[in-house]
């Protein structure tokens, strides 16, 4: 199988597969390299610096593999790192942000909810987005700690996931929200569950389809669309526990896939010496100083 000129797609874990599903359909001839940076999940509670360094490390890997474009299939990484990536690298880099504008256009009650990670909701980029696009409605934000971890285990409909979803959406429903934006790619895998909990009168908006269309437009504009006559393929990589990630990706991708281990040089983060799954640099330094 030839694997020429792929498009690199990354997320902190398996969430970005929800975007890849749309890109697979919209761009059937393209090859995709997907990285689940699961050794460092969740990004949602990490510092901007940390996420920037991970994003740079993953981009360096993609460039070594000869990618022609990159999709940051993660709202948190887009908020933290896309400006830096674009300032360093000149290839097309498509990112994603919560679909506030479409939700403002769609709401009838004038009240919308945004479910996202703490990192996204506290970012300057999100504040700018609200300033730019949130004016036509009351926007209620809701961080959802724990949901990403449930999706990482492919526990999409167990009781604990349902309880978390109920806890996060109830305050939004009480405030009269009629449109909910899924501001984290992991949550797209919980769409059925969220729909069950919110009922038929609340619309759910996922950014995945729009990102896929944007990638297509960008490739067209740069004349980078594949001209092959054969269907494209996917390759999956991870910085996390390979077997477990392979199990979960196979489940969410609806097909048994092989997941490759990201080479060591790219599992560490450039200038920041990081420890997987530990939140912030500063905390580690302080602890080190005490011992
Ligand atoms: N999937 C990511 C997003 O869209 C974030 C998940 C995480 O916290 O790692 O924001």
């Amino acid at each position: 199988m030839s694997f020429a000129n792929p498009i690199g797609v990354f997320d902190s874990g398996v969430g970005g597969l929800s975007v890849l599903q749309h890109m697979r359909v919209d761009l059937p001839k393209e090859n995709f390299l997907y990285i689940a940076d699961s050794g460092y999940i969740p990004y949602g509670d990490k510092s901007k610096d940390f996420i920037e360094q991970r994003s740079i490390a993953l981009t360096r890997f993609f460039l070594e593999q000869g990618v022609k474009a990159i999709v940051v299939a993660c709202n948190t990484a887009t908020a933290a790192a896309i400006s830096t990536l674009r300032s360093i690298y000149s290839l097309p880099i498509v990112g994603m942000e919560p679909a506030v504008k479409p939700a403002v256009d769609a709401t009838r009650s004038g009240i919308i909810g945004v479910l996202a990670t703490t990192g996204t909701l506290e970012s300057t980029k999100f504040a700018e987005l609200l300033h730019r696009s949130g004016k036509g409605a009351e926007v209620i934000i809701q961080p959802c700690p724990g949901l990403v971890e449930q999706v990482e285990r492919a526990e999409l409909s167990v009781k604990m996931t349902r309880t978390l979803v109920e806890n996060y959406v109830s305050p939004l429903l009480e405030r009269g929200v009629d449109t909910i934006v899924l501001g984290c790619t992991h949550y797209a895998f919980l769409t059925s569950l969220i729909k069950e909990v919110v009922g038929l009168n609340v619309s759910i908006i996922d950014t995945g389809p729009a990102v896929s269309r944007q990638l297509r437009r960008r490739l067209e504009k740069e004349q980078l669309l594949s001209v092959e006559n054969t269907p494209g393929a996917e390759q999956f990589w991870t910085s996390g526990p390979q077997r477990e990630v392979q199990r979960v990706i196979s489940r969410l991708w609806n097909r048994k896939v092989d997941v490759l281990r990201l080479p060591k040089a790219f599992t560490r983060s450039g200038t920041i010496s990081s420890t997987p799954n530990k939140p912030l640099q500063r905390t580690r330094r302080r602890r080190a100083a005490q011992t």
Side-chain angles (χ1 to χ4, degrees), residues 11-12 15-16 41-45 73-77 117 120 148 183-186:
D11 178 45
S12 59
I41 200 156
Y43 278 3
D45 65 1
C74 173
N75 294 264
T76 314
T117 67
T120 296
V148 161
C184 169
T185 51
H186 281 76

Side-chain angles (χ1 to χ4, degrees), residues 72-91:
V72 184
C74 173
N75 294 264
T76 314
T78 300
I82 204 160
S83 310
T84 303
L85 290 182
R86 286 180 176 148
S87 72
I88 305 174
Y89 304 103
S90 56
L91 80 171

Side-chain angles (χ1 to χ4, degrees), residues 10-12 37 43 46-59 70-89 91 93-97 117 119-120 123-126 128 269 272:
F10 78 89
D11 178 45
S12 59
D37 198 19
Y43 278 3
K46 306 283 192 301
S47 71
K48 176 171 164 59
D49 272 4
F50 182 87
I51 298 169
E52 274 179 346
Q53 291 308 319
R54 284 308 302 148
S55 302
I56 290 169
L58 302 180
T59 300
I70 290 175
V71 177
V72 184
C74 173
N75 294 264
T76 314
T78 300
I82 204 160
S83 310
T84 303
L85 290 182
R86 286 180 176 148
S87 72
I88 305 174
Y89 304 103
L91 80 171
I93 302 177
V94 174
M96 58 195 304
E97 60 187 12
T117 67
T120 296
S123 67
T124 312
K125 233 176 175 340
F126 185 70
E128 287 165 2
S269 293
I272 294 177

Side-chain angles (χ1 to χ4, degrees), residues 140-160:
I140 301 169
I141 59 170
Q142 177 64 59
C144 306
L147 271 193
V148 161
E149 287 83 345
Q150 293 303 99
V151 176
E152 283 298 306
R153 290 190 282 263
E155 297 193 340
L156 307 184
S157 52
V158 302
K159 192 164 181 302
M160 183 178 167

Side-chain angles (χ1 to χ4, degrees), residues 17-28:
L17 294 171
S18 66
V19 186
L20 187 59
Q21 281 171 344
H22 297 286
M23 300 191 289
R24 177 71 291 157
V25 173
D26 294 345
L27 296 160

Side-chain angles (χ1 to χ4, degrees), residues 11 14-19 42 44 73 75-76 96 98 113-121 142-152 156 161 164-165 168-169 180-195 204-207 252:
D11 178 45
V14 297
L17 294 171
S18 66
V19 186
N75 294 264
T76 314
M96 58 195 304
V114 180
L115 304 177
T117 67
T118 308
T120 296
L121 296 174
Q142 177 64 59
C144 306
L147 271 193
V148 161
E149 287 83 345
Q150 293 303 99
V151 176
E152 283 298 306
L156 307 184
T161 312
L164 284 171
V165 167
Y168 293 137
V169 300
I180 293 181
V181 176
L182 304 182
C184 169
T185 51
H186 281 76
Y187 307 164
F189 284 111
L190 300 173
T191 305
S192 305
L193 178 60
I194 297 172
K195 276 191 177 152
I204 312 287
I205 302 188
D206 166 27
T207 328
L252 299 180

